[in-house]
Amino acid sequence: MSTRPAHHAPTNPSFTEEDLTRLAGARSFARGRGYLSDVAELSATDDRITATVYGTEPYHVVLRPACPRLTGSCDCPYGQDGHFCKHCVAVGLTALDQWDDLPRLSAETTRRAQTLDEWLDSLDRDQLRDLLREQLATDPDLHRRLELRAAAAGSDTPAVRAQIRRLLDTRPFEQYGVVDRRDAAGYAAQLTEAALAIRALATTELDVEAVTLAESAISAIGEAAERIDDSDGDLSYAAEEMAQVHLEACRRLRPDPVRTATWLAAHLLGDWSHLPELDPAEYRDILGEPGWAELRRLAREAHRSHPSGWTERYVLESVLKADGSVDELVAALSADLEPNGSTHLTIALELDRAGRRDEAATWAERGLAETEGTPPRDRRLVEFLAHHYEQAGRPTDLVRVRRDDFHTLRTLDTYRSLRTACRAADCWSVERPRALDLLRTDALEDQINCRPHTGPVLIEALLDDGDAEAAWEAAPSVPTTPAQWVRLADAVRDRHPADALPIYLRAITPLQQQTGHPAYERMTELLLSARACHRARGTEAEFTRYLADLRAHQKRKRNLLRMLDEHGL
């Protein structure tokens, strides 16, 4: 009996009500609130939330809350145009309000799917065949897909070739010469179908036709990518699958190595080489010595003809890396050094992999010297050299690199790295006052010049040092953010409860206008902190009155009240 993997809703949502407002706009967000009672069949898995919204007609919504950003789709007319519609808003708000119930709803969805699997497992061969034929009679897309599978399994190469040409054609999906986002998934599904057919052809007959079909498909994908909106990444996934099919077919069928090298070079150096991306190193064994020599020749020739070309340089680098030709690679790279130090880093890494660590360090040091004052410097160059000095037992040089880096980019991370290096070299007591003076100057300049800021690094550094009192004393004189004030209150609450209390109360106020699990959780944390302040001051009766008033105003938020009850609030 087949089983489906269990799906679970994420522990905490990775989006907020503000995210929904930003994506939908104020008007659609407001209209979405009117559809909350029309949301049904809500469910969630690890990567998506689904529901049906019964508006003018049933509309199916899919939200993908995964990082880096929330996305949503709906099959209503407005949603099909690529907008985050009012139905998406309604589902998002419902999910935030019912987050604690999503695991139960998801389990019910999984149970229904498992029931279907069990029923299918109970059917015998004839019953399954009858069921499939019934579906084929009413589903032309399924009929076409299985027809192609049958042709591939039977090694009917002409039929497979004709079908694949049709599957690669973007014209049925085009409007005014382009394929928009809502149709890109359909075209990508056809590409996946073509890839499966080519894979089947390669495993049923030792015929290099499967290789040439995959090559034609890859070329067609690259050309089509220029007129397809691949915002959701469907085309990229399908292209990667086709690239894998080509690699598998080459390994199995062993086509002519020189011809394959010529095709590979043409793809890598072509206008559409970014999709799909092919790694020359993966073809090294397939090409053998004759094919690899031809690929190396073509890469060098292209670079000589156009030495400033990014594509030509990248292809030559890839081939030389796979070839292990370190000196030749260094010579090629050093002919055109990037001003941010990234090329210096690449050379250092290749020399380091070859065991030539002193030469690697020399290139990294050169990179730092030649990119001084040239923003933005490649941060990995600093980390490479710092790691080298640490491994080589050179603490003085390590402190120098970390100090120079901190002077160039004064952040909490560079401050921490400087502190770690100085403590290892036993010089932090000397270095720390200088570093804090620089951060204090930065904070004052931000305040004078009204620069946009996320809060002075000075406060973060002092808190990170465990020097809460110094941070508390410095905060009033620099542009400290509300979030930093809360962290300061947390750090000094035991010693200054009367001062910390108003900070917590100010932070609670805007949360009372929000919904969703993250807002409720944060409000609960702040209320617990406020209660601790009242207890330290002996004013618990005052907190009791405040909490009763807050609960009265928030009485419609059942999940919030349940959370407060669980924490004894």
Side-chain angles (χ1 to χ4, degrees):
M1 181 179 70
S2 63
T3 58
R4 292 175 181 263
H7 294 299
H8 306 283
T11 304
N12 294 310
S14 58
F15 66 94
T16 64
E17 193 171 306
E18 287 70 26
D19 293 324
L20 297 175
T21 306
R22 174 178 52 80
L23 289 169
R27 184 178 179 185
S28 288
F29 180 83
R31 296 179 69 186
R33 284 191 177 278
Y35 282 83
L36 294 179
S37 61
D38 299 318
V39 176
E41 301 163 24
L42 185 70
S43 184
T45 65
D46 291 336
D47 61 352
R48 66 180 57 193
I49 297 168
T50 60
T52 301
V53 181
Y54 288 91
T56 309
E57 58 183 270
Y59 294 120
H60 303 289
V61 173
V62 177
L63 301 183
R64 295 179 177 85
C67 292
R69 60 185 178 88
L70 169 70
T71 61
S73 61
C74 177
D75 58 6
C76 73
Y78 191 62
Q80 287 182 356
D81 285 337
H83 300 290
F84 196 92
C85 65
K86 60 189 177 184
H87 306 114
C88 291
V89 171
V91 172
L93 289 173
T94 303
L96 289 174
D97 193 55
Q98 300 182 17
W99 199 263
D100 292 341
D101 295 331
L102 289 183
R104 179 185 59 80
L105 297 172
S106 300
E108 178 62 21
T109 301
T110 301
R111 187 195 63 77
R112 291 197 302 269
Q114 191 165 1
T115 299
L116 175 60
D117 275 347
E118 291 171 354
W119 175 70
L120 289 172
D121 286 338
S122 71
L123 301 179
D124 61 27
R125 181 187 182 92
D126 290 337
Q127 290 172 315
L128 285 170
R129 185 166 52 240
D130 290 342
L131 178 62
L132 183 57
R133 284 173 175 161
E134 179 183 328
Q135 294 302 310
L136 288 173
T138 59
D139 190 339
D141 287 336
L142 178 61
H143 190 283
R144 186 192 67 241
R145 290 197 299 271
L146 293 187
E147 194 176 59
L148 178 57
R149 298 279 189 92
S155 302
D156 186 354
T157 306
V160 173
R161 189 188 306 115
Q163 283 274 51
I164 286 176
R165 282 202 202 96
R166 187 184 60 75
L167 293 172
L168 295 173
D169 188 359
T170 61
R171 286 177 296 180
F173 298 90
E174 290 181 11
Q175 291 183 356
Y176 307 107
V178 297
V179 179
D180 66 19
R181 175 188 171 206
R182 60 185 174 183
D183 291 324
Y187 180 66
Q190 287 197 177
L191 295 182
T192 300
E193 190 177 329
L196 292 172
I198 295 172
R199 179 179 279 126
L201 186 66
T203 56
T204 55
E205 180 179 299
L206 296 179
D207 185 350
V208 292
E209 183 75 14
V211 174
T212 55
L213 280 173
E215 290 171 354
S216 298
I218 287 172
S219 298
I221 291 170
E223 184 178 356
E226 298 297 307
R227 54 183 183 275
I228 296 177
D229 180 353
D230 192 34
S231 300
D232 293 332
D234 296 306
L235 179 65
S236 298
Y237 288 127
E240 290 173 7
E241 178 67 15
M242 188 64 76
Q244 186 61 33
V245 166
H246 179 260
L247 190 63
E248 292 171 5
C250 286
R251 285 174 177 160
R252 179 177 176 81
L253 303 176
R254 294 291 171 178
D256 179 78
V258 174
R259 192 207 71 81
T260 302
T262 302
W263 174 86
L264 182 60
H267 174 77
L268 293 170
L269 295 164
D271 292 335
W272 304 297
S273 60
H274 66 287
L275 195 69
E277 293 184 5
L278 302 182
D279 184 358
E282 293 185 326
Y283 288 83
R284 179 68 190 268
D285 293 339
I286 294 168
L287 296 178
E289 286 307 316
W292 190 256
E294 178 65 8
L295 179 63
R296 188 168 52 235
R297 184 188 70 79
L298 292 170
R300 286 172 175 158
E301 184 179 285
H303 187 258
R304 278 196 300 269
S305 300
H306 192 200
S308 61
W310 184 91
T311 300
E312 289 79 3
R313 175 176 168 176
Y314 172 76
V315 172
L316 180 60
E317 287 177 21
S318 299
V319 171
L320 292 176
K321 285 179 183 179
D323 208 23
S325 305
V326 178
D327 289 322
E328 191 174 355
L329 176 60
V330 169
L333 290 169
S334 59
D336 186 17
L337 297 170
E338 293 290 338
N340 69 344
S342 60
T343 317
H344 298 81
L345 174 66
T346 301
I347 293 173
L349 288 171
E350 292 302 320
L351 289 168
D352 189 65
R353 290 190 190 102
R356 296 157 63 174
R357 292 180 175 81
D358 290 340
E359 294 175 74
T362 299
W363 267 100
E365 289 166 343
R366 176 180 167 182
L368 288 181
E370 294 180 356
T371 59
E372 186 174 0
T374 307
R377 172 188 282 169
D378 192 321
R379 303 278 318 136
R380 297 171 299 166
L381 193 63
V382 175
E383 297 306 318
F384 176 89
L385 195 55
H387 178 72
H388 173 81
Y389 287 147
E390 186 176 7
Q391 294 296 109
R394 296 166 60 178
T396 302
D397 289 325
L398 176 59
V399 168
R400 173 178 52 80
V401 167
R402 291 303 190 189
R403 181 194 302 117
D404 292 345
D405 188 41
F406 175 73
H407 286 192
T408 301
L409 182 66
R410 291 189 283 279
T411 66
L412 179 60
D413 285 340
T414 58
Y415 179 85
R416 284 170 171 167
S417 296
L418 175 61
R419 181 180 63 199
T420 300
C422 288
R423 283 176 173 170
D426 197 23
C427 61
W428 184 229
S429 60
V430 175
E431 199 71 40
R432 181 175 184 257
R434 300 171 183 168
L436 291 175
D437 282 343
L438 287 173
L439 294 180
R440 190 171 288 105
T441 300
D442 288 346
L444 293 175
E445 287 181 357
D446 283 347
Q447 188 173 39
I448 293 170
N449 297 313
C450 298
R451 294 173 184 159
H453 64 279
T454 56
V457 178
L458 173 67
I459 301 300
E460 302 296 335
L462 289 169
L463 286 174
D464 203 63
D465 281 342
D467 197 348
E469 286 295 333
W472 180 259
E473 291 173 5
S477 61
V478 295
T480 307
T481 65
Q484 287 181 319
W485 275 114
V486 171
R487 288 199 294 277
L488 284 166
D490 290 340
V492 303
R493 184 176 67 209
D494 293 341
R495 295 184 296 277
H496 306 289
D499 295 324
L501 178 58
I503 295 173
Y504 292 130
L505 297 181
R506 282 198 301 270
I508 290 170
T509 299
L511 292 173
Q512 296 182 49
Q513 310 304 316
Q514 300 178 25
T515 60
H517 186 87
Y520 300 159
E521 191 174 61
R522 184 59 177 151
M523 189 186 299
T524 302
E525 292 172 354
L526 292 168
L527 285 168
L528 290 170
S529 297
R531 184 175 67 182
C533 291
H534 275 291
R535 284 178 174 172
R537 298 175 62 208
T539 56
E540 290 184 79
E542 182 181 335
F543 176 75
T544 300
R545 290 192 296 271
Y546 171 83
L547 182 61
D549 185 60
L550 183 145
R551 290 181 68 108
H553 283 88
Q554 304 287 306
K555 62 184 179 181
R556 299 185 64 181
K557 298 177 181 177
R558 294 173 298 165
N559 287 333
L560 170 61
L561 296 182
R562 183 166 61 245
M563 191 178 297
L564 296 180
D565 290 339
E566 290 172 354
H567 289 82
L569 291 169

